[in-house]
Amino acid sequence: MRPREAAYSAVKRRIILNDLQPGITLTELGLARELGCSQGTVREALLRLQEDGLVIRSGHRGTTVTPLDPEEADEIIALRRRIEMRGAVRAAAAVTDGALHDLQALQDEMERVASAGNQYRLIELDTDFHLAIFRLAGLQALEQILVRCILHSHRQKLWEPRHRRPLLETARRHQPIYERLAARDGAGLAEALGHHIDTIVDVSSERQSA
């Protein structure tokens, strides 16, 4: 991996997992020392993270990790839900056997990394799974918006202290989505996606008492 890709990936991972907490100030020099790279490389990484909405760059005031706001999080989830459900019927009509094969491979890999306890890799594969379905819909202008929504919904989920769903259960939650797509059932796929997104954060009383 090139230095600029490595720096971007490393800082992005730390923000998504909330190792770099919301509102914390980041400095190019400090990150460069931590990552063992140049300030220019860190600057490029921070510019990309700004495009992702993960940091806020304010000129002489520096760079801060984007705060997490409950109301904003609700709006992001609602927008994500609308975009993915809107693409469902088109995706179900356009899916091929090759696409289903690739999605099943992603499902299998999600279960493998979940069993190994690799939370961040599971997030990456989850993102790939949802984007692979959405791309079947051909709604290209909405893809970057969806990517941003997915990133922030994962970040919000990991910040929610009441969320307690095991990783393997998280991975297996994608199977009903796959089954509706394999059946070419657009309405069923939309319903499955809507339920999946609505229940990203698990705060059930059963889990709170577990």
Side-chain angles (χ1 to χ4, degrees):
M1 189 181 294
R2 294 180 179 179
R4 61 186 179 186
E5 289 293 332
Y8 167 73
S9 296
V11 180
K12 178 181 175 182
R13 182 183 189 279
R14 292 177 66 188
I15 293 174
I16 295 296
L17 295 178
N18 292 304
D19 292 334
L20 292 173
Q21 296 189 359
I24 193 172
T25 299
L26 306 176
T27 67
E28 293 177 4
L29 181 59
L31 287 173
R33 286 174 175 167
E34 287 183 43
L35 300 173
C37 62
S38 70
Q39 281 186 248
T41 296
V42 169
R43 189 175 302 118
E44 288 185 40
L46 292 177
L47 287 170
R48 288 183 63 185
L49 292 165
Q50 182 181 32
E51 292 175 2
D52 293 335
L54 294 175
V55 302
I56 300 169
R57 291 174 62 80
S58 305
H60 67 281
R61 289 182 291 177
T63 301
T64 57
V65 175
T66 304
L68 289 171
D69 179 89
E71 290 186 14
E72 188 174 33
D74 288 343
E75 292 298 328
I76 288 171
I77 288 292
L79 179 57
R80 176 181 174 181
R81 189 181 196 276
R82 180 175 178 182
I83 291 173
E84 290 200 57
M85 290 183 69
R86 180 64 61 87
V89 173
R90 293 172 61 131
V95 69
T96 64
D97 289 343
L100 289 171
H101 178 271
D102 292 343
L103 282 164
Q104 185 60 62
L106 283 170
Q107 172 72 46
D108 293 343
E109 184 65 5
M110 277 193 283
E111 294 189 20
R112 188 188 72 78
V113 301
S115 296
N118 191 335
Q119 186 175 49
Y120 188 69
R121 182 58 183 149
L122 179 58
I123 288 172
E124 292 181 318
L125 292 166
D126 171 281
T127 302
D128 291 344
F129 182 93
H130 284 271
L131 289 179
I133 293 175
F134 186 73
R135 285 170 183 152
L136 294 170
L139 301 173
Q140 296 177 7
L142 290 172
E143 184 173 325
Q144 285 306 308
I145 299 173
L146 178 57
V147 168
R148 206 159 156 166
C149 288
I150 292 173
L151 278 176
H152 285 273
S153 59
H154 279 300
R155 185 172 171 236
Q156 185 71 33
K157 175 184 73 175
L158 296 181
W159 186 255
E160 169 55 67
R162 296 171 295 171
H163 179 74
R164 292 292 185 271
R165 182 182 291 120
L167 292 183
L168 187 56
E169 185 178 330
T170 295
R172 289 174 174 166
R173 274 169 30 87
H174 296 79
Q175 192 60 39
I177 298 172
Y178 174 85
E179 291 170 358
R180 291 301 90 217
L181 182 63
R184 275 73 173 179
D185 177 3
L189 176 60
E191 183 180 357
L193 283 167
H195 175 73
H196 180 91
I197 294 166
D198 287 342
T199 56
I200 285 175
V201 177
D202 182 2
V203 293
S204 64
S205 57
E206 291 82 2
R207 295 214 183 278
Q208 289 184 56
S209 62

